[in-house]
Each structure stands twice: as C-alpha cells, then as structure tokens.
C-alpha cells in the first residue's frame, strides 16, 4: 500500500548527543546514509531497537511502546545539554517535539517519505495487518470490504481505517508485532 522513498537531507551531526527513532524505516534511512554508530539510540519499540542493533548501533534503549513512551524515555535518559536528532518520515505520524514540551531539545531530520502506491487490494482476503495510520487511510479508501478483518497496531491506527471500511477491526494489546499477531489469531468478539 505504501512505498518508502528517500528524500534529500543534510546529515550534519554537530551538537547531536543522541538519536531517537520512531520507526524501523527511520533506522534504515539513517544507517544507509551515515556511518555514525557511536551515539546513544532511543527507540519507540523493541522491533525498532532490534533493527538498530542489527545495523550496528551499540547503545540502544527501547521505550517498549508508543511515541508518548519514547518521549518519557528521552526525558529520563537522554544526555543533557545536547540535541537529540530524530531521523524519520517527511510527514511523521506524531509530534515528538510537542510531547517533550522543551524538556529535551530535538530536531527532526526527514529522510524518507511514505507514498501511496495506488495498488488495488486483492479481490478477496481474510485478514490484513495494519501498522500505521497512513497505511490504514490508504486501505480504508479502497473499501468497503466484506467478511474480512483488520488487525491494527493501535487505537489510532484503527481509527484511521474509517467507518466505511466494512472490516471487522481488532486492536493489538500492545504496539508491537507479537501483540499484532496474537490479535490476528483471537476469535471474533461476541456481539
């Protein structure tokens, strides 16, 4: 539904004392363009942290949750007096800077954009895993779908599917892949 495309950016790291990643795409986009691996890294969740470690970052801490959890982790653990660089999407799903309310200095660094591919949904499917609000909006625009379910990573992702999707919507108990797959396997709620 979405394609990730790089955008031009200046990777200047002057004054940067840490990196914060809100997605796996941000990790890949930064790691593909910069050899820097010594700065401490803070991630929104465990899957993003695992990828950061796999891409060579040595000091990685996960907020194990959502953007608000990452903000809390940064307030409690980011190096003081420096700048936290947030490599990510051109149009991020949330505003980390607003959540921090000047308690930690951050600078967004747009490195990629997620663009709709225009691909048609399959004629018939049983279930779809929906990881982002942007993907949910793209999917919802293709509906309505009958007899299928969507498993959303969060309530915000589920809300983005819209009322007219026709999908049975389930929400993962936590914003991670394990919970998403667990919700996929649960029986439908009784009505």
């Amino acid at each position: 539904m979405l394609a990730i495309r790089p955008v031009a950016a200046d990777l200047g790291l002057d004054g940067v004392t840490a990196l914060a990643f809100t997605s796996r795409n941000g990790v890949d986009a930064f790691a593909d363009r910069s050899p820097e691996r010594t700065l401490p890294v803070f991630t929104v969740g465990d899957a993003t942290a695992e990828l950061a470690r796999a891409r060579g970052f040595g000091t990685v801490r996960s907020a194990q949750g959502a953007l608000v959890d990452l903000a809390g982790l940064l307030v409690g653990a980011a190096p003081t007096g420096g700048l936290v660089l947030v490599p990510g999407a051109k149009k991020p799903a949330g505003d980390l800077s607003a959540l921090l309310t000047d308690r930690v200095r951050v600078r967004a660094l747009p490195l990629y954009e997620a663009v709709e591919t225009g691909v048609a949904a399959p004629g018939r499917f049983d279930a779809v895993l929906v990881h982002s609000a942007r993907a949910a909006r793209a999917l919802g625009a293709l509906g309505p779908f009958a007899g299928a379910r969507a498993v959303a990573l969060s309530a915000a992702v589920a809300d983005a599917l819209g009322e007219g999707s026709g999908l049975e919507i389930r929400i993962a108990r936590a914003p991670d892949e394990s919970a998403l797959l667990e919700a996929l396997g649960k029986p439908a709620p009784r009505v």
Side-chain angles (χ1 to χ4, degrees):
M1 308 243 23
L2 300 176
I4 304 301
R5 296 194 180 134
V7 296
D10 175 12
L11 289 175
L13 298 175
D14 290 342
V16 173
T17 57
L19 300 169
F21 292 109
T22 61
S23 72
R24 293 170 52 93
N25 289 325
V27 172
D28 277 335
F30 184 83
D32 286 349
R33 295 187 198 185
S34 174
E36 169 56 52
R37 298 296 186 274
T38 61
L39 290 170
V41 169
F42 299 88
T43 67
V44 70
D46 292 342
T48 306
E50 287 174 26
L51 179 61
R53 288 183 194 101
R55 293 298 306 257
F57 294 96
T59 305
V60 180
R61 292 186 59 186
S62 170
Q64 300 175 331
L67 196 62
V68 68
D69 301 306
L70 178 57
L73 178 60
L74 288 170
V75 167
T80 56
L83 177 67
V84 177
L85 188 65
V86 186
K90 187 175 179 180
K91 293 180 183 177
D95 188 350
L96 182 59
S97 181
L99 292 172
L100 291 167
T101 58
D102 297 326
R103 294 175 288 175
V104 176
R105 284 183 42 222
V106 296
R107 177 173 55 100
L109 176 63
L111 291 179
Y112 70 90
E113 62 183 340
V115 295
E116 292 184 28
T117 62
V119 67
R124 194 163 146 60
F125 61 93
D126 294 322
V128 60
L129 303 178
V130 189
H131 291 84
S132 72
R134 181 90 191 254
R137 286 189 292 277
L139 177 64
L142 296 175
F145 304 100
R149 73 177 162 265
V151 183
L153 192 62
S154 67
V157 172
D159 289 345
L161 281 165
E163 298 275 328
S165 71
L167 295 162
E168 171 202 328
I169 300 173
R170 297 179 184 176
I171 301 171
R173 65 173 168 68
D176 61 49
E177 200 71 20
S178 295
L180 196 67
L181 293 171
E182 177 185 294
L184 176 64
K186 285 185 177 178
R190 295 184 187 259
V191 197

